[in-house]
Amino acid sequence: MGKFLIYFSCAVLAAILLAGTIVSTMMLKGPPPEINAISAPRVIGREAVISFRFHDSGRGIREITASIIQGKKVVTLESKRFPVISWWKGTSIKDKIVSWQVAPLAMGLHQGKAILRATARDASWRNDFNGNETTFQSEVVIDVTPPSITVLSTIHNMISGGAGLVSYKVNKDISRTGVWVDDIFFPAYPRPQGSAGEYSALIAIPFDVPRPKLYIEAVDTAGNVAKTGFPYQIHYMAPKVDRINISDNFLEQKMPEFTARYPDLTGTPLNIFLQVNSKLRTENDQEIKNICLKSSPKIMWQGAFIRPPGAKRAGFADERHYFYNGKEISQAHHMGVDIAALAHFPVRAGNSGKVIFTGYLGIYGNAIIIDHGFGLASLYGHLESINTAVGARVERGTIIGTTDSTGLSGGDHLHYAMMVHGVFINPTEWWDDKWIKDHIINNLLAK
């Protein structure tokens, strides 16, 4: 009996020690929390968002804190504590993303260096029951001074539907800069052969925006924004008004071309035309804009663009009114210049550049788009054949295709268009070498 009690007591003691070991291991187990920066900028401007991801695979996260330290000043951001569910389970927070809004000036911080610190503590019983602690720390610079912009170019006389170029200098590193024309942003590129901090932006004045407001914007790496105006004049051109009669013969000949490619176009030939001339036209122009947004930062063109040979049949921004059986049925603006041509006539690249689109483009039929750099592009529509490919480098005058009447065209001709970052402009300016020198090159080289 005595031996049994001894054996029993030893077994109970072993069980207690084992349970204690298990409980202790459960309470103490696991590595310390992990901290990963999602948004921890090295430079903080007037406003910033700081975000961290906190993770603990053990007993969960119990406390999260963050602070910015500058000299003796410590600005504590909002601390977060999470309740312990039970002594056995710890907390339910295994993974947590926390963001803080930072406004240095309102927090009493000043321009200069500071320390960004984030701390996470888990719910383990280690370190005198205070849990494991992990700290993230990095040096940051508080910069609340916006950039300074100095305008270099002087000739900013433009027409509605025309183009221009603005050159300027910024006194610090930037993350984005360009020129706003109302709500359209035209990005700037480092000025060719210019000094550090000098930029030029090719801009367009939309033909249908009355009295747009123009200004330069520069955003530095801290997010500080600077804006400044510059002297400019815009001459407004009244659009030419055209009347175009739509015949049953035209509808029967042309609408099957569209229904074959766009199955969602249904109804009578007249109904299909109305959809093509409105919805499809809008979609095509948006596609052109998207194609033109990624332009080379280097100028690839040189001198005046080649004017396609042939008589002009329609001009840029002509206001077209479409009639059927004497009744007006639709309106649209002609965003290019139509040049009369015989069928199969060779089409030449207006200037040097890189082909960024070839294929069927709705109302423009078989088309080619060439990027000439700095946001400038040219389009050739209603083609028969396409003798180039996307990615090809072409020189001024290279034969790239032949004319036809594909797309929304009533006869053989070339639709020639030009765009600045996808905004249609009047091509005739770019056929004039003197205009290019006076309004583009002089501003590009202005000191």
Side-chain angles (χ1 to χ4, degrees):
M1 185 70 179
K3 289 183 178 181
F4 173 77
L5 288 175
I6 294 172
Y7 292 148
F8 178 77
S9 298
C10 289
V12 170
L13 179 60
I16 292 173
L17 291 173
L18 178 60
T21 300
I22 293 174
V23 171
S24 176
T25 300
M26 292 296 294
M27 300 303 155
L28 299 176
K29 76 171 184 176
E34 299 174 12
I35 303 177
N36 294 300
I38 297 175
S39 174
R42 294 185 177 275
V43 183
I44 298 176
R46 292 173 180 264
E47 293 182 351
V49 176
I50 296 171
S51 299
F52 289 95
R53 183 170 193 163
F54 301 88
H55 178 78
D56 186 84
S57 57
R59 290 174 50 78
I61 299 169
R62 186 171 64 183
E63 184 178 11
I64 292 171
T65 60
S67 60
I68 298 177
I69 305 162
Q70 192 174 56
K72 294 183 179 180
K73 187 175 184 62
V74 178
V75 177
T76 301
L77 308 179
E78 181 187 4
S79 298
K80 297 185 181 295
R81 292 184 63 88
F82 306 102
V84 175
I85 297 173
S86 68
W87 64 272
W88 181 261
K89 293 182 179 180
T91 76
S92 62
I93 307 301
K94 306 294 184 182
D95 199 85
K96 185 72 173 179
I97 294 176
V98 182
S99 298
W100 293 274
Q101 293 279 347
V102 176
L105 292 179
M107 294 174 171
L109 300 171
H110 56 79
Q111 187 109 347
K113 293 183 179 181
I115 298 295
L116 171 63
R117 181 180 294 165
T119 302
R121 191 183 299 276
D122 66 16
S124 69
W125 286 7
R126 288 183 176 176
N127 302 319
D128 297 328
F129 304 101
N130 288 319
N132 293 309
E133 181 180 283
T134 300
T135 299
F136 171 97
Q137 184 168 296
S138 67
E139 185 177 272
V140 297
V141 174
I142 294 175
D143 180 359
V144 292
T145 304
S148 175
I149 302 171
T150 303
V151 181
L152 302 175
S153 53
T154 57
I155 306 299
H156 309 121
N157 300 325
M158 296 163 282
I159 64 171
S160 56
L165 186 134
V166 184
S167 293
Y168 55 94
K169 186 171 184 176
V170 184
N171 70 334
K172 60 193 301 189
D173 291 339
I174 55 166
S175 60
R176 189 185 79 157
T177 187
V179 176
W180 285 94
V181 178
D182 266 13
D183 59 351
I184 305 174
F185 182 72
F186 295 91
Y189 301 102
R191 192 157 71 135
Q193 302 176 350
S195 302
E198 293 184 358
Y199 297 88
S200 294
L202 193 61
I203 65 174
I205 306 300
F207 79 97
D208 57 350
V209 177
R211 306 193 181 283
K213 294 179 174 60
L214 281 62
Y215 63 89
I216 302 167
E217 180 182 82
V219 183
D220 66 19
T221 54
N224 299 304
V225 180
K227 299 177 182 179
T228 189
F230 57 92
Y232 63 88
Q233 288 186 350
I234 300 174
H235 180 61
Y236 295 90
M237 308 290 289
K240 176 187 173 185
V241 178
D242 280 341
R243 176 188 176 111
I244 298 177
N245 293 310
I246 302 299
S247 66
D248 288 322
N249 184 51
F250 171 80
L251 295 173
E252 291 168 2
Q253 283 186 352
K254 297 300 299 183
M255 293 309 103
E257 178 182 332
F258 292 101
T259 55
R261 292 178 177 273
Y262 304 99
D264 57 326
L265 295 174
T266 58
T268 66
L270 179 59
N271 287 334
I272 292 169
F273 167 79
L274 294 176
Q275 296 172 64
V276 169
N277 201 40
S278 56
K279 182 174 181 291
L280 184 60
R281 180 185 291 274
T282 300
E283 292 173 355
N284 295 155
D285 290 348
Q286 183 60 51
E287 183 178 357
I288 291 169
K289 183 174 183 178
N290 294 340
I291 293 168
C292 293
L293 286 179
K294 293 183 179 180
S295 179
S296 170
K298 298 185 181 299
I299 293 176
M300 292 181 276
W301 51 269
Q302 186 173 10
F305 280 63
I306 295 175
R307 184 208 187 280
K312 187 174 78 170
R313 291 177 52 181
F316 176 77
D318 286 356
E319 184 181 301
R320 290 180 161 180
H321 296 253
Y322 298 85
F323 287 80
Y324 178 75
N325 289 338
K327 180 181 178 182
E328 185 171 351
I329 57 171
S330 183
Q331 292 184 14
H333 283 92
H334 184 250
M335 304 313 295
V337 175
D338 283 351
I339 303 295
L342 298 174
H344 322 305
F345 193 82
V347 175
R348 298 179 183 273
N351 218 311
S352 301
K354 179 181 177 181
V355 178
I356 55 175
F357 177 85
T358 63
Y360 195 82
L361 192 54
I363 65 169
Y364 301 99
N366 294 328
I368 299 169
I369 300 177
I370 299 175
D371 173 34
H372 302 286
F374 246 56
L376 185 64
S378 57
L379 180 148
Y380 311 79
H382 306 317
L383 303 180
E384 175 197 39
S385 65
I386 294 174
N387 302 334
T388 187
V390 171
R393 295 277 180 170
V394 295
E395 300 300 323
R396 183 177 184 272
T398 301
I399 295 176
I400 54 177
T402 57
T403 60
D404 197 23
S405 58
T406 56
L408 195 60
S409 168
D412 295 316
H413 71 277
L414 172 66
H415 178 87
Y416 184 91
M418 293 188 70
M419 298 77 66
V420 174
H421 291 289
V423 178
F424 287 101
I425 57 172
N426 193 337
T428 59
E429 293 182 327
W430 294 87
W431 296 338
D432 184 346
D433 190 62
K434 186 178 186 305
W435 178 88
I436 292 176
K437 289 178 181 178
D438 291 345
H439 295 81
I440 305 298
I441 301 302
N442 286 347
N443 282 355
L444 196 63
L445 302 177
K447 297 295 184 182

